[in-house]
Amino acid sequence: MDKNICIVVSDNGMGHFQRQLAIANTLADSYGLSVHLFFNSLALKNQYSHKVKLFKIPVNYNKTFFINSGEINFKSEIDFRSYKLVITDNIIEITKYTSNSVLYANFLWSEVLPELKNSHSKILKNKNPVIYTNKYFSSPLINTYLNNKKIGFIVDSEDKILSDKENLLISFGSSTEILDANIKLINYIISSFKNSFNYFFIEPRYHIFFKNSQVKVATYTDKMYSTLKCALIRPGIGSITKCLFHNVKIFPIQIDDFEMKHNTDILKKIFLLVENYQTKNIKFHINHFLSSTYYQSEFLAQTDLLDFDGSKQFCKSIIK
């Protein structure tokens, strides 16, 4: 294979970037390939600069997405013709610009935005792109699409860090707005479990509202995740992957959103969440878990069975 590979990442959530960061590092480290990773957030680059190894992140990359007549229009200064292979994370429209492309997606935007249904159906029919997807969390549409390849979780971590697990993470996701109800929920959790956890890691947007000595700002590093026993989170696949890799019990914040509801249902399906789970009963659910060494042992046994080799599986499949 030619050594020039382009990866274009959706900037809607951290999970897309975390996955492709792992893939870029694997392609560079294990296969000696030249990888250009394109994304749209300088903040992401700064946060993850310590994990950038042998590949290039172009700083002059600009892209825009806008919906026009039921289609996402992709504009970019990337010359796709100069790359042997283009990998795109959840931007199916790129397959219209190059025939040498593969897609990673756990769902398609047309499952969230009905106005995209026709254009995505045409792309799937006319281009028939290979779609790599998480074997546990792939959406109904991708599951019925014949040209899909299921792989394990893609982890951007090297190894698990051994640490005392005595803390709790509370994170609502950067794509949600700041709400008084969320501040009240954080206060409720801290007051209810101040004797159960050493520290409460709160996402940066909400951390400023709390002066409690037990409250720390969430850094989302492997070191932070390694100290967590539980996490109350918006259940995006990026956060789910991080938590399960580090054996952190997830208590998802229920959100009226296709992807979040789907992910919560999958957590129930693979026995990592009780069937009658409700955020409104969060105190009961956390207490139920903390009070039982049996449930804690069962959770650890379940997470140890999960497949976290998705990055190696993906790269091995595309290198032919």
Side-chain angles (χ1 to χ4, degrees):
M1 172 179 280
D2 191 293
K3 290 192 173 185
N4 235 0
I5 292 182
C6 166
I7 302 178
V8 187
V9 185
S10 168
D11 56 3
N12 190 278
M14 298 286 286
H16 304 283
F17 184 77
Q18 290 171 353
R19 284 194 295 267
Q20 298 311 319
L21 180 69
I23 287 172
N25 275 324
T26 300
L27 289 171
D29 287 354
S30 300
Y31 296 93
L33 300 177
S34 175
V35 183
H36 290 180
L37 179 64
F38 293 94
F39 62 99
N40 195 36
S41 174
L42 185 60
L44 285 178
K45 180 183 177 183
N46 290 339
Q47 182 170 352
Y48 283 90
S49 60
H50 64 290
K51 290 192 174 183
V52 173
K53 295 182 179 178
L54 305 176
F55 60 86
K56 179 182 178 183
I57 293 183
V59 295
N60 63 340
Y61 171 53
N62 294 300
K63 68 181 176 67
T64 57
F65 295 101
F66 59 96
I67 296 175
N68 180 26
S69 300
E71 183 173 2
I72 290 182
N73 289 275
F74 179 84
K75 287 190 173 182
S76 171
E77 57 193 38
I78 303 172
D79 181 8
F80 292 117
R81 295 171 298 179
S82 66
Y83 293 96
K84 180 67 175 179
L85 178 68
V86 176
I87 301 168
T88 169
D89 196 309
N90 214 23
I91 312 173
I92 192 173
E93 284 73 17
I94 288 178
T95 62
K96 297 192 301 182
Y97 295 83
T98 172
S99 59
N100 298 320
S101 62
V102 296
L103 177 72
Y104 183 95
N106 295 321
F107 70 97
L108 296 181
W109 286 111
S110 54
E111 297 177 87
V112 180
L113 303 171
E115 59 267 42
L116 297 177
K117 184 175 181 180
N118 289 336
S119 65
H120 281 192
S121 295
K122 289 179 182 178
I123 293 173
L124 293 175
K125 180 179 179 180
N126 297 331
K127 298 295 184 179
N128 191 35
V130 177
I131 300 179
Y132 289 84
T133 187
N134 183 287
K135 63 168 68 174
Y136 308 103
F137 285 86
S138 55
S139 71
L141 176 59
I142 292 179
N143 280 334
T144 58
Y145 177 64
L146 295 180
N147 201 11
N148 80 70
K149 294 188 178 183
K150 291 184 170 59
I151 59 177
F153 288 101
I154 297 176
V155 182
D156 69 328
S157 306
E158 296 282 336
D159 297 297
K160 292 183 180 180
I161 302 172
L162 297 179
S163 178
D164 293 332
K165 303 179 80 61
E166 300 172 335
N167 304 322
L168 171 74
L169 168 67
I170 304 178
S171 183
F172 298 93
S174 59
S175 62
T176 61
E177 59 181 319
I178 296 177
L179 300 174
D180 289 340
N182 292 342
I183 296 175
K184 291 179 180 178
L185 177 59
I186 295 172
N187 268 319
Y188 175 68
I189 294 298
I190 293 174
S191 62
S192 299
F193 295 100
K194 60 185 178 182
N195 296 322
S196 301
F197 299 102
N198 284 352
Y199 296 105
F200 299 87
F201 285 96
I202 311 298
E203 71 168 90
R205 297 181 307 156
Y206 286 97
H207 175 262
I208 60 175
F209 297 108
F210 300 91
K211 303 300 180 184
N212 190 309
S213 61
Q214 284 185 279
V215 174
K216 292 182 175 291
V217 63
T219 58
Y220 302 104
T221 61
D222 290 323
K223 183 176 180 179
M224 182 204 76
Y225 278 102
S226 71
T227 71
L228 300 179
K229 191 177 191 69
C230 302
L232 179 60
I233 58 170
R234 173 184 179 273
I237 192 64
S239 297
I240 288 174
T241 300
K242 282 285 192 180
C243 286
L244 295 183
F245 179 75
H246 288 285
N247 301 115
V248 179
K249 176 65 176 180
I250 297 171
F251 297 94
I253 298 167
Q254 291 177 298
I255 299 173
D256 189 21
D257 169 281
F258 166 81
E259 182 189 6
M260 300 303 107
K261 289 194 291 186
H262 171 73
N263 289 348
T264 298
D265 288 341
I266 297 299
L267 287 171
K268 295 176 182 178
K269 183 178 179 180
I270 58 178
F271 310 112
L272 297 175
L273 194 66
V274 294
E275 185 61 36
N276 64 344
Y277 176 84
Q278 293 287 330
T279 304
K280 64 182 180 181
N281 298 327
I282 188 62
K283 182 177 178 179
F284 167 81
H285 293 300
I286 294 177
N287 269 326
H288 186 64
F289 178 74
L290 294 178
S291 63
S292 173
T293 55
Y294 170 78
Y295 288 125
Q296 293 176 40
S297 297
E298 280 292 293
F299 171 72
L300 292 177
Q302 290 160 355
T303 55
D304 285 343
L305 294 175
L306 297 175
D307 180 358
F308 291 100
D309 284 331
S311 181
K312 293 178 182 178
Q313 295 160 5
F314 178 88
C315 295
K316 183 179 180 180
S317 177
I318 66 171
I319 302 301
K320 298 176 180 178

